[in-house]
Amino acid sequence: MTDFQEINETPKRPVFLLVLVILSSINIGISSIGSLTAVLGAKPDAEMVKKALLDYAEMREQLEKAGAAEYTYIVDQMQTVTTNMFSHFHTYNAIQLVFLLLGLTGVILMYQRKRLGFHFYIVYSIGLVLLPYFFNSMHQIPTILTVVGVLYGAVWVFMYGRNLHWINQ
């Protein structure tokens, strides 16, 4: 093989990257449809809000029956986050849609071997974790929500990072 042929040959796309791109596209695509529908649709009506509040009351009751009343504060925090999300429904979902589109753009760019896509994906992952903080104070958000969001995003960023050797531009 000549030096010219070696330079012009593109390394084969990692199969793991293709799997990640497919899974991410499905996840982001479904979430984007939900956010777009929410942005274009009507704000939740009083009946939906009432049902959500009743669901949280039921969760509280179940925790108390199970002898885990000390964890009801998490349900209270989640209720506050949900209520604030309902209050800012269109804005919340519009910002979420922007982050989701940024993530999808990042996935597409990584598939095209552009390193900028990896950075977009990191911003998307961090943005979705920080989104509830745009509408709630820090003490209103359950720590577990943030921890799980950070861990979930970090796992995906790590898996994409394993393919950076192929993503070179």
Side-chain angles (χ1 to χ4, degrees):
M1 194 179 293
T2 66
D3 289 334
F4 181 73
Q5 286 175 323
E6 288 178 15
I7 292 171
N8 286 337
E9 287 183 15
T10 303
K12 189 176 177 189
R13 177 178 287 116
V15 175
F16 186 52
L17 178 62
L18 180 61
V19 171
L20 289 174
V21 165
I22 291 169
L23 292 175
S24 293
S25 297
I26 291 169
N27 181 32
I28 294 171
I30 290 171
S31 298
S32 295
I33 290 169
S35 287
L36 183 61
T37 304
V39 168
L40 298 176
K43 204 172 177 178
D45 60 3
E47 189 63 34
M48 284 180 76
V49 174
K50 182 179 176 183
K51 183 177 178 342
L53 295 175
L54 288 173
D55 288 343
Y56 284 114
E58 186 179 320
M59 281 187 254
R60 257 186 239 92
E61 188 178 308
Q62 290 173 352
L63 281 172
E64 289 168 359
K65 283 182 183 176
E70 65 270 12
Y71 296 110
T72 57
Y73 75 95
I74 295 173
V75 175
D76 294 336
Q77 288 175 321
M78 284 305 301
Q79 180 178 335
T80 302
V81 169
T82 303
T83 303
N84 287 337
M85 189 267 300
F86 283 155
S87 298
H88 305 284
F89 190 72
H90 289 107
T91 307
Y92 182 94
N93 282 289
I95 294 171
Q96 183 178 34
L97 183 61
V98 169
F99 283 129
L100 290 167
L101 293 176
L102 186 65
L104 186 60
T105 302
V107 169
I108 292 167
L109 289 173
M110 284 188 280
Y111 187 74
Q112 296 173 343
R113 299 191 73 184
K114 293 184 171 57
R115 193 173 289 262
L116 180 62
F118 184 67
H119 300 290
F120 278 9
Y121 195 84
I122 291 171
V123 171
Y124 148 77
S125 297
I126 293 170
L128 287 184
V129 171
L130 295 179
L131 182 59
Y133 291 94
F134 294 173
F135 303 98
N136 299 280
S137 63
M138 289 181 71
H139 74 277
Q140 293 174 320
I141 299 175
T143 305
I144 190 74
L145 184 69
T146 304
V147 169
V148 169
V150 167
L151 290 176
Y152 181 78
V155 166
W156 282 92
V157 168
F158 173 76
M159 289 190 294
Y160 275 112
R162 303 291 299 151
N163 293 285
L164 281 177
H165 63 88
W166 185 80
I167 303 169
N168 63 2
Q169 297 177 354

